[in-house]
Amino acid sequence: TSKLTKVFGFGRNKTVAVDHVDLDIYDGDVVSIVGESGSGKTTFAKMLLGLLKPTEGEIFFQGKKREIRSRKQKQEYWKNIQAIFQDPYSSYNTFNKIDSVLLDCIRMKGGGKLPSEKKVEMMSEACSFVNLKFEELTNKYPFELSGGQMQRLMIARIFLLKPKILIADEPTSMIDACSRATILDMLMQLRDEIGMTIIFITHDIGLAYYVSDTVHIMERGQFVESGSADDVILRPQDLCTQRLISDV
């Protein structure tokens, strides 16, 4: 990204949520953007995903300026960049069965005309990767699963889609500690298997240290400290970083 900025409102009511942020990310990187609530990190992630239009600045993807004006361009872009969100309960359409959620991923990757046995095999493999059994999920609705199972189903979607970039926005904050470690291990295994880049959006500096190559600390819409996980977290310079560490 180059000078990426998002302003909400006008005049006196203007809020600068993201303020001229530059970020370079390379294939296979694991990057964490860490900040307190209201720091601008989720707004930044939504702009990367194409869910919010930047006020200023540019986003480049694979060395070219991103173009997502048409529906077709957006669909093509979303094949390559996907997200896992904080609340698994609001990530699904409650009227769609689990089979439909996974079949959509196969269709999105161009497998809509594959024989049904092949589709079932692919869905079973994806579920197996996240320690779920497809035969126990078929014909169920997502709300019939636990929070941890829903987050694993989200990772099964990513297994099928194999995007180049995954944005994980507080992916473990609403699940128990045991499930948390499992989810993170699955994401890192997926990164190793398909060379995916992962961007974690989190307030949890401990999680950032555990998973990241590079950490960016965000406050009031700007990166106030950036560097390797060891440099930023073991030798913090900025007061915001020191405060986040003392809160752990």
Side-chain angles (χ1 to χ4, degrees):
T1 69
S2 173
K3 303 278 184 283
L4 201 62
T5 302
K6 182 64 184 177
V7 179
F8 293 105
F10 302 95
R12 285 186 189 171
N13 298 322
K14 186 168 82 170
T15 302
V16 182
V18 176
D19 190 1
H20 295 85
V21 170
D22 292 329
L23 176 65
D24 292 324
I25 296 173
Y26 301 96
D27 287 351
D29 275 359
V30 178
V31 175
S32 284
I33 298 172
V34 187
E36 295 167 330
S37 181
S39 61
K41 59 190 189 297
T42 295
T43 300
F44 184 71
K46 284 180 176 175
M47 287 193 285
L48 294 183
L49 280 165
L51 301 177
L52 269 182
K53 194 175 175 185
T55 308
E56 242 182 88
E58 300 290 355
I59 295 172
F60 296 88
F61 179 62
Q62 295 182 317
K64 295 177 189 164
K65 188 175 158 186
R66 183 184 74 176
E67 291 288 349
I68 53 166
R69 281 180 227 170
S70 72
R71 190 177 169 191
K72 191 177 177 188
Q73 285 173 324
K74 275 186 180 166
Q75 285 176 332
E76 198 56 41
Y77 182 63
W78 287 333
K79 281 182 192 174
N80 292 305
I81 182 163
Q82 282 285 317
I84 294 176
F85 293 108
Q86 175 177 5
D87 180 5
Y89 295 92
S90 62
S91 297
Y92 298 98
N93 182 332
T94 51
F95 299 106
N96 284 352
K97 290 184 177 177
I98 289 166
D99 310 54
S100 167
V101 170
L102 297 173
L103 282 168
D104 277 348
C105 299
I106 293 172
R107 273 195 291 273
M108 200 169 171
K109 288 296 279 186
K113 293 182 178 171
L114 289 169
S116 56
E117 305 84 58
K118 179 63 181 170
K119 289 177 187 169
V120 169
E121 184 189 319
M122 290 167 76
M123 291 189 286
S124 299
E125 186 188 4
C127 290
S128 174
F129 177 79
V130 295
N131 298 329
L132 293 171
K133 291 183 178 173
F134 177 67
E135 59 271 23
E136 291 174 9
L137 301 179
T138 187
N139 280 320
K140 279 190 176 175
Y141 290 93
F143 62 77
E144 296 180 73
L145 306 182
S146 70
Q149 287 175 317
M150 281 198 203
Q151 259 335 25
R152 282 191 273 158
L153 187 61
M154 288 297 282
I155 297 172
R157 283 184 69 254
I158 302 304
F159 181 89
L160 285 169
L161 288 166
K162 295 184 171 48
K164 290 187 167 58
I165 299 172
L166 173 68
I167 296 178
D169 189 353
E170 302 281 15
T172 60
S173 66
M174 289 184 69
I175 52 183
D176 61 79
C178 181
S179 299
R180 192 172 300 168
T182 307
I183 295 290
L184 291 174
D185 287 345
M186 285 172 180
L187 288 174
M188 302 316 280
Q189 188 185 340
L190 201 48
R191 189 278 295 252
D192 294 341
E193 284 191 15
I194 64 175
M196 181 173 70
T197 299
I198 305 179
I199 305 170
F200 283 96
I201 309 292
T202 184
H203 68 281
D204 183 344
I205 205 156
L207 178 146
Y209 183 64
Y210 177 65
V211 298
S212 311
D213 302 313
T214 309
V215 174
H216 301 274
I217 306 295
M218 197 166 196
E219 185 180 37
R220 292 179 189 164
Q222 295 182 322
F223 290 163
V224 294
E225 190 161 359
S226 298
S228 72
D230 279 351
D231 281 347
V232 171
I233 294 164
L234 300 182
R235 293 175 284 280
Q237 304 297 310
D238 192 85
L239 283 172
C240 178
T241 314
Q242 292 166 14
R243 191 169 63 245
L244 285 163
I245 292 167
S246 68
D247 287 345
V248 173

